[in-house]
Amino acid sequence: RLQGQRQIVEIGAEIGGGGGQGGIEVALTGNDYEGIYVSARALADAIDGSAILSDPDLSYQPTQPQLSITIDRARAADLGANLDDLALTLQAMVDGLEVVDLNVDDQAIPILLTSQTSAITGPADLGNLYVRSTAGGLVPLSALTTLNEQGVAAELDRTEQRRAIEVQAAIAPGVPLADAVAEIERLAEEALAEGIEPILQGEAQQLEESSRELLLTYGFAVLIVFLVLVAQFESLASPFVILASIPFALAAALFALFISGNSLNIYSQIGLVMLIGLMAKNGILMVEFADQRREEGSDVATAIREAATIRLRPIAMTLISTVAGAVPLVIASGAGAEARQAIGWVIFGGLGIAALFTLFLVPALYALIAPLAKSRSVDLARLDRELRADEERDAEPAT
C-alpha cells in the first residue's frame, strides 16, 4: 500500500512540473563534445550561484575508462604477424569467441573459446599474449601493439541530430516553471561560449510550445471578434474602440493573478480567452447605443454621453452577475481547486477591475476615434437625396 501511494505522489509531481516538484532540463548543442562540455561546466557553476536553480547534473561525464590498442602495422608485417589472427586472439582472451553451435535435443548450445579466469586480470596482461607468425614462431603482442588507457564518456547524446549534452537542475520550492525557464535562459546567455545553443527539454519545452500556441490562439480570438464586429457595425472605428479595451482587461486579469498568488498556467490562460469575449460584450452595449444616437443626428459627444448614462445599468448588471458567478470558483477547495481558482480569479479580478476601463476608457476612445469615421446617417441621408432626385426626374413630363 505504501509503495502504491509513493508511486501516486511521484506521478503527481511529474504532472505538477514546477515549484520544486520537478526540475528543468536543457540540452546544449555544438560541434564537438569537448567544447560543449566546457560550456556545460560553466553553466553548472552558474546554476550553483542561482537563487532559483540548484543541484546541476550533466549527462556527459568523461570518466568511463577505455583501453585503446594501437597496432604497429609495419612491425607486424616485418615479424610476419597476421592482423586477423591478432584480432581473434584478443577477442578470444578478452570477450570469448563463439566457435560453433552444438545441437542437443533440438537446442542450439554455443561453444565458446575463452581464456582461463586468471589469464587476463589487467591491461598489462594483454602484452603477454602471443600470436603465431607466418614463419611458425610466436610473437608477443607487446612487440606489436601499444596500450593507451584513457577516460571517455559512457554515452554520447544527440538532440535534433546534433551533438548535445543535457544539463538538469532542481527548481526552488514555490518558483513557477516560467521563472525557472527565464533564469536558465539568462544563465545560458552569460555562461555559454559562442556556437553553443541551448534547447529546452521536458516540461520547459512543453511550456514554451504551449505559450507559442496560446499567443496564436489569442491572435485568432481577437481577429475573429474584430471581423464579426466589422460585419455587424459596417465600420472600422467602432470595432477598434471595443477591442482597444481588451489589453487593459488582460492586464487587470494578470494583476488579479499576482495579488492572489496564482500562476499563469493553462487554466488561467483559458480564462484569459474567455475574458476577451466578455470585455467585447460590454463594449458592444455602449458603442452600439452611441452609433444609434449618431444615426438619429446627435453629435459624437452627446451620443457617447447618453450611451454611457443609459447603458450603465445593463453593463453593471452583466458585470455583477458574471463576477458573482465566479465567486464559487475563487473559493473552491478539494480536488481540482487550483484549476478552478485560476479561471475564477481571471474572471473575478480581471472583469471586476476592467469594469472601470469599460465605463471610462471606452467613452474616451469613442470620443477620439468616432469623429474620424462618418456616421451611417450620412450615407442614409445621401441615399435618400438620390432616391428623391430619381423620383423627381421620373415625375417630370416628357418633352
Side-chain angles (χ1 to χ4, degrees):
R1 185 184 309 171
L2 292 177
Q3 184 177 1
Q5 293 177 354
R6 179 181 178 183
Q7 292 176 354
I8 293 175
V9 171
E10 291 177 353
I11 293 175
E14 294 178 359
I15 296 177
Q21 293 283 354
I24 188 170
E25 181 179 345
V26 60
L28 306 182
T29 61
N31 296 325
D32 60 279
Y33 286 102
E34 288 75 13
I36 302 174
Y37 181 68
V38 173
S39 295
R41 289 303 313 170
L43 180 60
D45 295 338
I47 291 175
D48 287 330
S50 173
I52 297 177
L53 305 177
S54 61
D55 300 331
D57 183 28
L58 306 183
S59 64
Y60 182 90
Q61 297 294 339
T63 57
Q64 180 74 21
Q66 175 178 285
L67 184 64
S68 300
I69 301 177
T70 304
I71 302 175
D72 190 346
R73 295 178 178 270
R75 188 169 181 81
D78 295 339
L79 297 177
N82 193 335
L83 297 182
D84 292 337
D85 294 341
L86 191 149
L88 290 175
T89 301
L90 290 174
Q91 182 178 0
M93 299 301 292
V94 175
D95 191 34
L97 177 63
E98 184 177 348
V99 180
V100 69
D101 290 337
L102 179 63
N103 293 323
V104 177
D105 295 334
D106 294 333
Q107 292 184 356
I109 301 176
I111 304 300
L112 300 178
L113 177 62
T114 60
S115 64
Q116 296 180 358
T117 305
S118 59
I120 305 297
T121 58
D125 296 334
L126 297 177
N128 299 326
L129 300 178
Y130 291 87
V131 61
R132 189 171 297 278
S133 65
T134 55
L138 295 177
V139 180
L141 262 65
S142 58
L144 305 175
T145 60
T146 302
L147 303 181
N148 182 23
E149 189 173 0
Q150 59 183 354
V152 296
E155 59 181 9
L156 301 177
D157 297 329
R158 284 184 176 269
T159 300
E160 298 182 358
Q161 299 182 355
R162 299 180 60 186
R163 297 180 179 90
I165 296 177
E166 295 182 356
V167 180
Q168 295 181 352
I171 304 176
V175 176
L177 183 58
D179 294 345
V181 171
E183 177 71 5
I184 195 69
E185 290 178 347
R186 182 186 67 83
L187 296 177
E189 184 178 358
E190 298 176 355
L192 299 185
E194 184 178 358
I196 306 299
E197 180 183 356
I199 300 177
L200 295 175
Q201 301 289 306
E203 295 180 357
Q205 182 183 17
Q206 296 176 4
L207 176 64
E208 188 178 38
E209 293 176 354
S210 63
S211 299
R212 289 196 299 264
E213 295 174 356
L214 189 66
L215 291 177
L216 185 62
T217 303
Y218 287 153
F220 274 114
V222 174
L223 178 61
I224 292 173
V225 172
F226 180 75
L227 294 178
V228 172
L229 293 177
V230 169
Q232 293 295 322
F233 285 97
E234 299 179 358
S235 171
L236 293 177
S238 297
F240 183 78
V241 172
I242 296 172
L243 294 182
S245 62
I246 291 179
F248 296 92
L250 298 178
L254 295 178
F255 178 73
L257 291 175
F258 174 75
I259 62 177
S260 62
N262 288 277
S263 62
L264 185 62
N265 50 42
I266 186 63
Y267 303 104
S268 57
Q269 292 170 357
I270 294 174
L272 292 177
V273 177
M274 297 172 52
L275 189 60
I276 294 176
L278 294 175
M279 283 302 300
K281 174 184 67 65
N282 295 331
I284 290 172
L285 292 175
M286 187 179 300
V287 173
E288 182 184 15
F289 191 87
D291 287 345
Q292 292 175 358
R293 285 290 185 266
R294 290 189 65 193
E295 292 177 7
E296 296 173 357
S298 301
D299 60 285
V300 174
T302 303
I304 191 59
R305 183 170 57 252
E306 293 180 357
T309 304
I310 298 176
R311 289 296 189 181
L312 174 61
R313 182 178 179 182
I315 291 176
M317 291 174 62
T318 56
L319 282 174
I320 293 173
S321 61
T322 306
V323 171
V327 173
L329 298 177
V330 173
I331 62 176
S333 61
E338 295 181 357
R340 295 194 293 270
Q341 288 176 359
I343 299 177
W345 273 108
V346 169
I347 299 175
F348 179 82
L351 195 60
I353 301 174
L356 300 176
F357 299 123
T358 303
L359 299 177
F360 295 97
L361 181 63
V362 172
L365 291 175
Y366 189 88
L368 293 175
I369 299 175
L372 303 178
K374 59 183 179 180
S375 174
R376 283 183 291 180
S377 61
V378 177
D379 296 332
L380 293 175
R382 180 176 58 84
L383 180 60
D384 185 63
R385 289 193 303 267
E386 293 176 354
L387 290 175
R388 290 185 178 182
D390 292 339
E391 291 177 354
E392 292 177 356
R393 284 195 302 268
D394 295 339
E396 293 178 356
T399 58

